[in-house]
Amino acid sequence: MEKLNPGSKGNSFTDYFNVVRPHISEHTFKSLQALSDQLVIIECKNNQQTTLRGQIEWIEASESLIFIGSPWFESVEKVTENKLSINDFAYHDPMIDLLHLLKTQEITTDDLKHLLSTVNKQKNDLKNAAKEIEDIALFPTQNPDPLIRIDLDGNVLRQNPAADKLTHFEYNGKVYTAEEFWKYTSEKFSLQQDRIIIEAESANEIYSFVIKPLPESGYYNIYGRKATEQKRNEEQLEILSSIAAQNTHGVVIANKEGKVEWANSSFEKMTGYSLKEIVGKKPGHFLQGPDSDPETIAYLSYQIAKGEPFGC
């Protein structure tokens, strides 16, 4: 008690203590004596406002009152805050055991909270992972280009909706069903190749397929795309290039900066300049000279700037 209320000995009870329960209007000897044989809760008037729980007994021989009780704490930490130790409690006092029980329960509760937090985090992580897997799984199905996977014998293992639409292929002048086509072409594949590229026609569209061998998995991944427009452009460019090369007129192709990129043999014969000599130069730098008409040069430049034909 000296630790809880230092210097209280010899001084007034009411200066250091206050009866909290039962409630009494005034703290007199008579009113305290009336509290005998019942539970009494007293509060210390110290910094911690320590609560004492016990009983008051009347000692008839000495005509005095004795309070027998213990500090009442909610946690083990409160014992330390009040500068008490286990030795300050009676051996039979259950308070310390109760505090240890509360502490164990607190630790268990904290562990359960931590476990619950971990479980919730894992649950959210699994939910996010499942969503990511679902998004990844949906990605090939939403791709407008055909994606196909075949085994080493050409059997289709899986394909996306875009590939489902390709039921027949025309290849090297023959028509095959999709099943026949991949079995036929797979015979020409090799797992040692980094990638294989083939072209085939289906539903009036030309498709280019890049085949990626995956030896460790025992299958081929096939990535297709429409190449109709590109193929037609290539064929048209090839025809135009052939016409330009065989044209008896001089033909020059220049880039957007007006510098020569190509000229046909007729131009070389007509001007005396080889293609090697003029690549990277502007035609005006070697076709115009001191006697060129300034008005003609201006007219030529004007027509080129407008992107219109000219003759001069």
Side-chain angles (χ1 to χ4, degrees):
M1 189 63 74
E2 183 65 24
K3 287 183 179 180
L4 295 176
N5 264 341
S8 58
K9 184 179 177 181
N11 293 302
S12 172
F13 175 85
T14 55
D15 288 342
Y16 289 89
F17 303 99
N18 179 46
V19 177
V20 178
R21 200 175 73 179
H23 174 72
I24 55 177
S25 57
E26 53 181 349
H27 289 62
T28 64
F29 190 88
K30 288 283 186 184
S31 63
L32 291 175
Q33 186 181 9
L35 299 177
S36 299
D37 299 325
Q38 60 180 303
L39 175 66
V40 177
I41 297 177
I42 296 175
E43 185 180 76
C44 297
K45 294 182 179 180
N46 56 9
N47 292 333
Q48 291 79 24
Q49 293 183 312
T50 310
T51 300
L52 305 174
R53 188 174 182 271
Q55 66 188 70
I56 293 175
E57 293 296 330
W58 163 246
I59 310 298
E60 187 176 354
S62 59
E63 295 186 342
S64 61
L65 296 172
I66 181 170
F67 174 77
I68 304 170
S70 293
W72 184 258
F73 298 126
E74 298 174 353
S75 66
V76 175
E77 288 74 20
K78 290 290 184 181
V79 176
T80 307
E81 287 179 17
N82 284 270
K83 300 178 182 178
L84 298 179
S85 66
I86 294 175
N87 297 326
D88 291 314
F89 291 80
Y91 293 121
H92 62 273
D93 195 332
M95 175 56 64
I96 292 298
D97 292 334
L98 179 60
L99 290 177
H100 280 302
L101 181 62
L102 289 173
K103 186 64 177 178
T104 303
Q105 185 178 6
E106 180 185 340
I107 293 171
T108 303
T109 303
D110 288 341
D111 288 344
L112 285 173
K113 286 180 180 177
H114 179 70
L115 180 61
L116 183 61
S117 176
T118 302
V119 170
N120 285 334
K121 183 178 182 302
Q122 290 175 345
K123 183 180 177 182
N124 290 331
D125 289 344
L126 285 172
K127 186 177 179 181
N128 292 333
K131 179 67 169 61
E132 187 175 351
I133 291 170
E134 183 183 0
D135 290 343
I136 292 171
L138 284 174
F139 182 71
T141 64
Q142 296 168 345
N143 195 324
D145 293 327
L147 302 174
I148 306 157
R149 176 175 293 171
I150 63 174
D151 63 19
L152 302 183
D153 296 321
N155 298 303
V156 176
L157 301 176
R158 62 191 311 174
Q159 59 186 18
N160 69 346
D164 288 337
K165 298 176 183 178
L166 307 180
T167 58
H168 290 78
F169 290 98
E170 185 177 338
Y171 183 70
N172 289 341
K174 293 184 179 180
V175 177
Y176 302 87
T177 64
E179 183 180 352
E180 293 170 340
F181 174 71
W182 293 119
K183 285 186 176 181
Y184 172 74
T185 53
S186 66
E187 296 175 359
K188 300 172 176 55
F189 301 163
S190 171
L191 290 172
Q192 279 66 49
Q193 292 176 273
D194 181 56
R195 65 174 186 167
I196 307 112
I197 299 176
I198 61 173
E199 288 183 352
E201 188 173 332
S202 180
N204 298 320
E205 295 282 0
I206 299 172
Y207 287 88
S208 176
F209 295 99
V210 176
I211 296 95
K212 178 66 178 177
L214 296 167
E216 67 282 358
S217 302
Y219 54 73
Y220 299 96
N221 276 346
I222 302 170
Y223 308 92
R225 65 178 181 85
K226 286 183 182 180
T228 310
E229 193 71 24
Q230 180 184 340
K231 200 69 179 175
R232 287 171 181 165
N233 289 341
E234 288 176 357
E235 290 174 355
Q236 187 176 12
L237 183 61
E238 188 177 340
I239 292 170
L240 291 173
S241 298
S242 176
I243 293 172
Q246 299 172 17
N247 201 323
T248 55
H249 296 288
V251 178
V252 177
I253 296 177
N255 60 21
K256 62 181 181 180
E257 296 174 351
K259 295 179 180 180
V260 176
E261 291 186 340
W262 180 86
N264 67 353
S265 57
S266 296
F267 183 84
E268 291 178 311
K269 292 176 183 177
M270 187 183 299
T271 62
Y273 291 105
S274 67
L275 177 58
K276 188 177 180 180
E277 290 178 287
I278 63 175
V279 165
K281 297 179 180 178
K282 292 186 176 182
H285 290 173
F286 56 87
L287 293 180
Q288 298 171 17
D291 296 331
S292 298
D293 182 7
E295 291 184 6
T296 302
I297 294 173
Y299 162 71
L300 184 149
S301 298
Y302 180 72
Q303 292 298 101
I304 289 176
K306 289 199 300 178
E308 295 184 359
F310 56 88
C312 56

